[in-house]
């Protein structure tokens, strides 16, 4: 069970508030309750936070993190995820915003990813009437009060998860170095990161991930 006590902490004060919750949850003595945080501290700010924040947090899901910090977190027994909350997300390329995320997670040795927000609907829970929405539409689905309809964005998330499984199988059978080589090739050929999420891929790169995944499956067949 993930306990998300303080959303998107950005300041030392918010981190201190999260620590109070982390302590209380740990004191409950229920190992199935895991402290989860999606910090959005500015660059260079992570070192200024009370170390207890990182010690008590079980799953770190930041907007971005470098490989060295991610490795340090994993050494301490933490799970590393990646999180994104940019919108309107439907104006971004589904591959460079959604699908590529699992590849970035794998490159960090991470295990999960999160997006805000699957049930958003522009602040009114209705994706079908965009001009009546009081807020920004973040959902990768077309949501209404009664249903959620898949879109290219939601399919990109599904395919991203499948890509991660391909990489995991390749690691299991051929070693992590082989999988990391595939990940480096994909990430080096994609422009990834704000403000590039709204940049559509050229036709020459549109099928790049599918081609790499096909090569991985052929390798696994051998």
């Amino acid at each position: 069970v993930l306990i998300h006590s303080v959303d998107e902490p950005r300041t030392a004060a918010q981190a201190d508030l999260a620590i109070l919750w982390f302590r209380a949850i740990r004191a409950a003595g229920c190992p199935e309750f895991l402290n989860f945080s999606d910090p959005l501290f500015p660059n260079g700010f992570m070192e200024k936070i009370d170390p207890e924040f990182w010690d008590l947090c079980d799953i770190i899901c930041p907007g971005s993190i470098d490989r060295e910090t991610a490795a340090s977190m994993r050494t301490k027994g933490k799970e590393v995820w990646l999180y994104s909350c940019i919108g309107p997300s439907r104006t971004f390329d589904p591959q460079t915003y959604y699908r590529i995320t699992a590849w970035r997670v794998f490159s960090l040795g991470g295990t999960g990813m999160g997006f805000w927000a699957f049930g958003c609907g522009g602040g009114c829970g209705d994706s079908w009437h965009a001009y009546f929405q009081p807020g920004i539409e973040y959902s990768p689905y077309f949501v209404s009060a009664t249903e959620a309809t898949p879109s290219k964005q939601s399919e990109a998330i599904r395919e991203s998860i499948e890509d991660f499984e391909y990489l995991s199988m390749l690691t299991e059978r051929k070693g992590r170095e082989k999988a990391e080589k595939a990940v480096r090739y994909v990430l080096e050929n994609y422009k990834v990161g704000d403000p590039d999420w709204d940049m559509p891929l050229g036709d020459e790169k549109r099928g790049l991930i599918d081609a790499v995944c096909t090569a991985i499956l052929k390798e696994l067949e051998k």
Side-chain angles (χ1 to χ4, degrees), residues 56 77 88 91 100 116 119 121 130 139 142-143 152 169 191 200 207-208:
L56 295 177
T91 63
I100 201 67
W116 180 271
S139 179
F142 287 93
V143 298
K152 289 183 177 181
M169 288 189 289
K191 293 182 68 178
L208 187 145

Side-chain angles (χ1 to χ4, degrees), residues 6-221:
V6 178
D7 188 38
E8 298 183 3
R10 303 168 187 263
T11 66
Q14 289 174 317
D16 291 341
L17 177 59
I19 289 172
L20 296 178
W21 281 100
F22 291 168
R23 289 174 182 167
I25 293 165
R26 285 287 180 88
C30 299
E32 66 272 20
F33 290 168
L34 301 177
N35 285 321
F36 172 94
S37 183
D38 56 352
L40 295 181
F41 302 130
N43 291 336
F45 198 73
M46 294 179 72
E47 296 79 7
K48 301 178 183 179
I49 299 300
D50 188 331
E52 192 176 9
F53 178 89
W54 310 110
D55 292 339
L56 295 177
C57 191
D58 299 298
I59 300 176
I60 308 292
C61 184
S64 63
I65 188 171
D66 59 71
R67 292 172 63 89
E68 291 74 19
T69 304
S72 175
M73 294 294 177
R74 297 199 320 271
T75 301
K76 297 175 183 177
K78 314 300 180 182
E79 285 192 43
V80 176
W81 296 14
L82 281 181
Y83 168 69
S84 187
C85 176
I86 311 293
S89 60
R90 217 167 278 134
T91 63
F92 304 147
D93 190 293
Q95 291 212 57
T96 53
Y97 183 70
Y98 285 114
R99 189 174 182 183
I100 201 67
T101 301
W103 295 77
R104 295 173 60 214
V105 170
F106 190 92
S107 73
L108 296 169
T111 53
M113 60 184 182
F115 299 97
W116 180 271
F118 284 73
C120 172
C124 65
D126 187 350
S127 300
W128 299 103
H129 297 88
Y131 293 111
F132 294 97
Q133 294 175 341
I136 297 174
E137 174 69 273
Y138 292 97
S139 179
Y141 292 89
F142 287 93
V143 298
S144 70
T146 58
E147 61 184 17
T149 302
S151 69
K152 289 183 177 181
Q153 284 72 24
S154 66
E155 287 299 290
I157 295 175
R158 179 185 61 79
E159 290 183 342
S160 185
I161 295 169
E162 292 177 352
D163 297 344
F164 193 93
E165 291 301 312
Y166 292 155
L167 293 167
S168 298
M169 288 189 289
L170 184 63
T171 299
E172 180 183 338
R173 290 163 175 78
K174 295 291 184 177
R176 186 168 181 90
E177 184 177 350
K178 194 90 171 181
E180 287 183 341
K181 182 178 179 181
V183 172
R184 285 196 302 272
Y185 177 76
V186 168
L187 294 182
E188 288 171 359
N189 278 276
Y190 273 61
K191 293 182 68 178
V192 179
D194 189 16
D196 297 321
W197 280 313
D198 60 350
M199 297 291 289
L201 289 172
D203 292 339
E204 73 283 359
K205 293 184 179 180
R206 176 62 54 190
L208 187 145
I209 292 182
D210 285 333
V212 172
C213 287
T214 299
I216 290 174
L217 292 175
K218 289 182 178 178
E219 185 74 17
L220 292 173
E221 285 181 347

